[in-house]
Amino acid sequence: MKILVCISKTPDTTAKIAFKNGNTQFEETGVQWIINPYDEWYALVRAIELKEKDPSTILHLVMVGGADAEPIIRKALALGGDEAIRINTTKLQDSFYVASQIAEVAKNGGYDLIFTGKETIDYNGSSIGAMVSELLDLPYISLATKFDVQGSTATVTREIEGGEEVNEVSLPIVVSCQKGMAEARIPNMRGIMSARTKPLKVVEPIEADELTGINSFELPPAKAGVKMISPDNMAELVRLLHEEAKVI
Amino acid sequence: MVLILADQTDGQFKKTAFEALSYGAKVAEQLGTTAEAVVLGTVSADLSALGKYGIKKVHHAANESLNVLDAQLYTRVIADAVKSTEAKVLVLPHNNTGRAIAGRLSARLKAAMVPAAVSLPDTTNGFVVKKVVFSGKAFANVSLNTDIKIISLNMNAYKAVAGEGMAEVVQLNVNVDAPKVKVTATEKVKGEIPLTEATRVVSGGRGLKGPENWGIVEDLAHALDAALACSRPVADAGWRPHHEHVGQTGIAIAPNLYVAAGISGAIQHLAGVNRSKVIVVINKDAEAPFFKAADYGVVGDVFEVLPKFTEEVKKLKGA
Ligand SMILES: Cc1cc2nc3c(=O)[nH]c(=O)nc-3n(C[C@H](O)[C@H](O)[C@H](O)COP(=O)(O)OP(=O)(O)OC[C@H]3O[C@@H](n4cnc5c(N)ncnc54)[C@H](O)[C@@H]3O)c2cc1C
Ligand SMILES: Nc1ncnc2c1ncn2[C@@H]1O[C@H](COP(=O)(O)O)[C@@H](O)[C@H]1O
């Protein structure tokens, strides 16, 4: 079996969110970058577990990004995977453009399984996996919480409106992964050492359209400030929620 | 024309569908055109009643194959409907269905798509829609630069408005194959208000000390007609089910009222709840970071405060 895991780079979850150049760009100064948590904890770790179960599995990682993304993809390789492919572009604002790049690599790689994270924690798109699956005309199982494979049939638990369901579907497929798929791991020394020598191929992007653009960013309006209420006066809290906030 | 996916669950429509319909009708009004809906699968609800939300027509593809969310089939049917009706804007709910298909539709139609949208389009200069970014910590104004535009509307981002009106219902004749996705088991969240649909949410953190103490959280939720949520360590420890975990790595919610009891307010927790309209924080530590994000704060012991809070809510309701 051949698996491709899509890895993206995001600001650390505690990073300060600020913008520059007339609110058109994210202020990157001082920001720590991490592997997007959904890609790392759920997609990548589950793929590594599948490879541990069946060592003949080939596991590739793909990232669309500039050279500055290489430390992140090395970090991912330290967790596991045989090789990584970086598609060399810094045009990352339009999801369709990014998805077209991933689909091109996937098309040429003959993968049985393509894993993405549920969403990136910076753009919150939840859309690249769906786009890649359409570009490849493959089934898409979104928001998976459990995944197993037997021969060429995958059994996937996924979230749908109002609950969860278990699906059976033939490979090849695209799956977006979220909590439940796997438990987060930390890389060990051997992984970190071996990651340095694993192949990291750089390919140039293909021509693709950008369908959207980001005109500007904005921060939510500041809260008016907290109103403190004595723990002995819950009647006052309920009155405020009823009369002032009008939420009960 | 603006086409809206009225997403159904087990033959019924829920709040997200009404929000999407009302939003789509407003977009149509803004563009000086009409709004119509598309419905997939068999439904028991009265389709003409969707007219209350401002739409003129409902295109119904009643094929049984569409009772399963097969993203490939859904995409084909909706994309064909967009083409045959010559819709210029497609509106979907950004729920579990929308997340499965919005990206596919964008790729299939080569149409610009904005996920997690929270505003009506600004058409003064192009077509610009505001969306959530950085897990609710900021917004981006996204320009949609193609002829057909797709908007995946975040939950609780637009208020459903029901008025008068009946929609004309027409069959959408489609040829669909059997789904490639076979459903072997389903587990519905029963009896409770689903978290993402809830207008009020009561949430507990590690300050509750253990699962055996959740009764006081449940009592308040019950009195408020609220759904239950929890912080990540609470779900990780197995005190509460995973589907109640809110935050950066859990569910993002935007209810009218969010009550956080015994939760410190870590930035990753706030990421999932900071779009709530009103936040009430109950914590015994006056320095807890959550107070900075709160509208109303109570410094006190949850074991004393929650029962009193519940009692006062009941008094109000009884009155
Ligand atoms: C990448 C990443 C992603 C994460 N994603 C999430 C996420 O999605 N959701 C999430 O919730 N967390 C997430 N976290 C974890 C987050 O950083 C915090 O550790 C977590 O939210 C803390 O949960 P808590 O507030 O319940 O517990 P604690 O931090 O232990 O806080 C307990 C609070 O209860 C108060 N308390 C104690 N006893 C009482 C009492 N008797 N009465 C009143 N108050 C009391 C304390 O003063 C304290 O403020 C993530 C972390 C990382 C690194
Ligand atoms: N630049 C990228 N390179 C590789 N994979 C990506 C990239 N951006 C997003 N992805 C993948 O697509 C998923 C969903 O991203 P998004 O649609 O942007 O929320 C992520 O969790 C990643 O798995």
Side-chain angles (χ1 to χ4, degrees):
Chain A
M1 190 169 58
K2 223 176 150 186
I3 308 176
L4 182 67
V5 179
C6 303
I7 301 288
S8 55
K9 153 183 173 262
T10 51
D12 171 43
T13 53
T14 58
K16 180 171 174 345
I17 307 303
F19 303 102
K20 59 179 180 185
N21 294 340
N23 285 331
T24 57
Q25 272 176 313
F26 176 56
E27 175 59 81
E28 299 190 357
T29 315
V31 168
Q32 298 272 349
W33 297 91
I34 58 167
I35 309 170
N36 185 41
Y38 291 105
D39 310 356
E40 174 182 343
W41 300 355
Y42 309 128
L44 179 57
V45 174
R46 187 62 194 138
I48 292 167
E49 289 171 355
L50 294 173
K51 186 176 162 77
E52 285 167 352
K53 263 211 296 203
D54 173 7
S56 71
T57 301
I58 298 168
L59 174 54
H60 288 177
L61 318 184
V62 64
M63 171 181 275
V64 185
D68 59 319
E70 291 208 350
I72 296 300
I73 201 154
R74 286 275 176 218
K75 228 180 117 192
L77 281 172
L79 282 163
D82 301 305
E83 67 171 64
I85 303 149
R86 177 170 70 82
I87 303 162
N88 187 30
T89 175
T90 50
K91 271 205 242 172
L92 299 172
Q93 277 201 346
D94 179 61
S95 302
F96 181 76
Y97 181 86
V98 172
S100 302
Q101 306 306 331
I102 296 173
E104 181 67 16
V105 163
K107 212 179 290 167
N108 302 325
Y111 298 99
D112 305 289
L113 246 186
I114 301 172
F115 276 174
T116 72
K118 169 192 177 188
E119 66 181 19
T120 43
I121 62 167
D122 49 3
Y123 186 67
N124 303 130
S126 230
S127 41
I128 300 254
M131 287 180 177
V132 169
S133 67
E134 183 64 29
L135 291 167
L136 300 171
D137 198 20
L138 294 179
Y140 178 52
I141 310 295
S142 50
L143 307 174
T145 56
K146 280 198 193 85
F147 182 93
D148 252 306
V149 62
Q150 201 120 63
S152 65
T153 305
T155 306
V156 198
T157 306
R158 65 159 167 173
E159 228 177 86
I160 52 164
E161 278 309 290
E164 285 199 327
E165 65 179 26
V166 183
N167 291 164
E168 266 178 26
V169 55
S170 295
L171 304 183
I173 53 174
V174 181
V175 180
S176 81
C177 307
Q178 63 167 335
K179 189 175 166 129
M181 285 287 276
E183 291 297 330
R185 289 187 179 189
I186 34 174
N188 55 29
M189 213 45 212
R190 217 187 61 198
I192 295 169
M193 297 306 282
S194 70
R196 293 192 191 151
T197 55
K198 285 180 184 172
L200 197 170
K201 283 192 206 148
V202 178
V203 302
E204 290 307 312
I206 55 159
E207 280 282 313
D209 289 327
E210 289 180 274
L211 311 178
T212 61
I214 295 180
N215 288 4
S216 63
F217 293 96
E218 57 191 64
L219 292 169
K223 285 251 174 196
V226 54
K227 209 174 252 188
M228 299 306 290
I229 292 131
S230 155
D232 300 320
N233 199 356
M234 285 303 101
E236 174 66 0
L237 175 64
V238 169
R239 187 191 68 80
L240 288 167
L241 291 175
H242 182 59
E243 290 172 13
E244 183 179 78
K246 297 190 170 60
V247 288
I248 59 175
Chain B
M1 197 268 285
V2 175
L3 189 66
I4 302 129
L5 172 69
D7 183 36
Q8 55 115 337
T9 309
D10 301 325
Q12 296 292 331
F13 297 101
K14 294 201 292 191
K15 195 173 140 225
T16 41
F18 303 136
E19 288 171 355
L21 290 167
S22 303
Y23 175 91
K26 188 75 191 171
V27 174
E29 188 189 309
Q30 229 178 296
L31 300 176
T33 177
T34 54
E36 301 179 5
V38 57
V39 174
L40 308 191
T42 39
V43 279
S44 39
D46 172 18
L47 288 176
S48 63
L50 296 181
K52 280 196 299 205
Y53 298 94
I55 55 148
K56 294 276 166 282
K57 209 186 234 187
V58 179
H59 304 267
H60 183 203
N63 309 52
E64 271 182 22
S65 303
L66 298 171
N67 291 344
V68 178
L69 173 61
D70 182 309
Q72 242 170 336
L73 291 186
Y74 266 50
T75 300
R76 247 174 256 163
V77 172
I78 299 170
D80 287 350
V82 168
K83 284 185 206 153
S84 67
T85 60
E86 296 180 4
K88 285 289 173 264
V89 179
L90 173 66
V91 176
L92 311 156
H94 198 61
N95 60 6
N96 294 339
T97 308
R99 285 172 192 263
I101 60 175
R104 288 198 80 122
L105 283 158
S106 168
R108 189 174 187 89
L109 294 164
K110 268 267 202 131
M113 190 271 286
V114 55
V118 293
S119 79
L120 287 164
D122 177 353
T123 52
T124 46
N125 187 9
F127 193 99
V128 180
V129 179
K130 191 185 298 199
K131 86 176 287 298
V132 168
V133 287
F134 296 102
S135 310
K137 289 175 230 161
F139 300 99
N141 292 303
V142 176
S143 61
L144 307 184
N145 304 331
T146 54
D147 187 29
I148 299 174
K149 284 119 182 142
I150 304 175
I151 302 172
S152 193
L153 178 69
N154 229 13
M155 285 172 279
N156 292 321
Y158 193 83
K159 208 168 156 39
V161 265
E164 300 289 312
M166 293 256 282
E168 177 195 351
V169 181
V170 295
Q171 293 307 312
L172 185 64
N173 292 316
V174 288
N175 259 325
V176 288
D177 320 328
K180 283 195 193 149
V181 175
K182 200 171 108 196
V183 179
T184 55
T186 335
E187 199 185 316
K188 297 279 171 182
V189 183
K190 281 217 185 73
E192 312 150 35
I193 312 164
L195 201 43
T196 48
E197 296 263 327
T199 45
R200 286 179 288 273
V201 174
V202 177
S203 188
R206 264 211 301 235
L208 265 296
K209 306 282 189 289
E212 68 280 6
N213 298 329
W214 239 259
I216 53 173
V217 182
E218 284 166 348
D219 287 347
L220 178 63
H222 200 76
L224 286 170
D225 253 330
L228 288 167
C230 67
S231 67
R232 183 168 136 220
V234 164
D236 282 353
W239 295 2
R240 298 298 305 169
H242 280 302
H243 63 79
E244 286 183 11
H245 155 200
V246 291
Q248 183 115 51
T249 43
I251 297 170
I253 54 172
N256 287 342
L257 174 64
Y258 183 71
V259 180
I263 302 176
S264 58
I267 195 158
Q268 297 93 355
H269 183 85
L270 295 181
V273 303
N274 52 12
R275 288 193 312 106
S276 308
K277 214 176 106 201
V278 173
I279 295 180
V280 176
V281 170
I282 303 162
N283 197 304
K284 70 173 183 192
D285 173 11
E287 301 297 315
F290 219 146
F291 285 116
K292 289 204 179 69
D295 299 279
Y296 301 100
V298 180
V299 178
D301 186 333
V302 286
F303 296 99
E304 289 164 20
V305 172
L306 284 182
K308 286 193 209 155
F309 189 178
T310 306
E311 205 179 301
E312 292 299 332
V313 173
K314 284 190 184 153
K315 270 194 212 160
L316 174 79
K317 293 275 166 84

